[in-house]
Amino acid sequence: MIDKELLRDTVAKAIEGTDMFLVDITVTPSNEITIEIDSPSGVDIDSCVAITRAIEAAFDREQEDYELEVGSAGLTSPFKVIGQYEKNLGNELEILTRDGRKLRGVLSKCERGADDCDVVFAIETKVKVKEPGCKRPVEKTESIDLRSGDCKYVRYDLKF
C-alpha cells in the first residue's frame, strides 16, 4: 500500500513556492489515490499535471500499481482546512451544525483552533428582530461564532 506520509511530503514539495495548499489525500486499500488541492487564485490543469508528474516520479508503478487523480477541491465540497476558510473570507457560506441548524451568512473571520483540523470562525447573518414600539420586525446583522468541529459541514453557498 502507498505510504500516505511520503505522498503528503511529495505533494508538499510539488506545491512549495506557490499559493496552493493541500486539502485532502485519500488512499484506498486498492491504491486509488485522490489528491485535492486549492488556491486563493484557483487551480488550473497545469498545476494538477505538475503535481501528478511529481508523484509519478516519486512512486514507481513497477513496484506498486496505483490509480492517481489530482484535482481542485470542488466548489460545493465541505471545507476541510483553514486555507479554504481564508480563501472564502467575505463570501456567503452554508453551514449545517451538529445540532441540526442550517445557517447562511458571510464569513467574517477565521483562525486556527487547537489543532490543524480545528478552525474557529464567525459568520455575519441577517436576523429579524421585533423591536419594542415597532409594528414590524427589523432586520439586523448578527455575528455567530462557530468551530469547525461543531459543524457537519461548512461550504460555499451557491444560493446567494
Side-chain angles (χ1 to χ4, degrees), residues 21-22 80-86 109-121 146-148:
F21 54 89
L22 180 62
K80 297 178 182 174
V81 296
I82 192 164
Q84 291 175 295
Y85 289 87
E86 292 169 344
K109 73 171 186 173
C110 66
E111 55 191 47
R112 192 173 309 278
D115 59 29
D116 287 342
C117 296
D118 188 32
V119 178
V120 178
F121 64 99
L146 298 160
R147 292 188 94 83
S148 58

Side-chain angles (χ1 to χ4, degrees), residues 146-160:
L146 298 160
R147 292 188 94 83
S148 58
D150 296 334
C151 302
K152 287 186 178 180
Y153 68 77
V154 177
R155 64 182 176 202
Y156 183 77
D157 190 0
L158 297 173
K159 294 180 183 173
F160 275 95

Side-chain angles (χ1 to χ4, degrees), residues 90-147:
N91 290 338
E92 301 282 346
L93 299 183
E94 177 183 276
I95 297 124
L96 180 62
T97 63
R98 296 225 179 265
D99 61 5
R101 294 181 297 148
K102 195 170 209 177
L103 306 170
R104 286 193 166 91
V106 176
L107 181 61
S108 59
K109 73 171 186 173
C110 66
E111 55 191 47
R112 192 173 309 278
D115 59 29
D116 287 342
C117 296
D118 188 32
V119 178
V120 178
F121 64 99
I123 60 167
E124 301 288 326
T125 187
K126 296 194 186 305
V127 293
K128 291 187 179 184
V129 178
K130 178 80 167 124
E131 292 286 330
C134 294
K135 290 184 178 183
R136 297 177 188 221
V138 178
E139 200 171 81
K140 290 190 171 190
T141 302
E142 177 181 81
S143 180
I144 301 173
D145 292 325
L146 298 160
R147 292 188 94 83

Side-chain angles (χ1 to χ4, degrees), residues 6-85:
L6 182 57
L7 188 58
R8 186 177 303 281
D9 293 342
T10 304
V11 173
K13 287 177 189 169
I15 63 177
E16 191 174 21
T18 70
D19 64 348
M20 290 186 286
F21 54 89
L22 180 62
V23 174
D24 194 22
I25 294 178
T26 307
V27 181
T28 67
S30 60
N31 277 345
E32 295 170 353
I33 303 168
T34 304
I35 310 286
E36 289 182 35
I37 55 172
D38 206 347
S39 164
S41 59
V43 177
D44 60 10
I45 190 74
D46 295 332
S47 301
C48 295
V49 169
I51 294 168
T52 299
R53 288 188 178 142
I55 293 168
E56 288 173 341
F59 294 89
D60 185 12
R61 286 187 190 259
E62 297 298 322
Q63 291 180 351
E64 192 161 16
D65 192 31
Y66 57 89
E67 182 181 317
L68 178 61
E69 179 184 337
V70 177
S72 66
L75 188 60
T76 59
S77 298
F79 292 0
K80 297 178 182 174
V81 296
I82 192 164
Q84 291 175 295
Y85 289 87

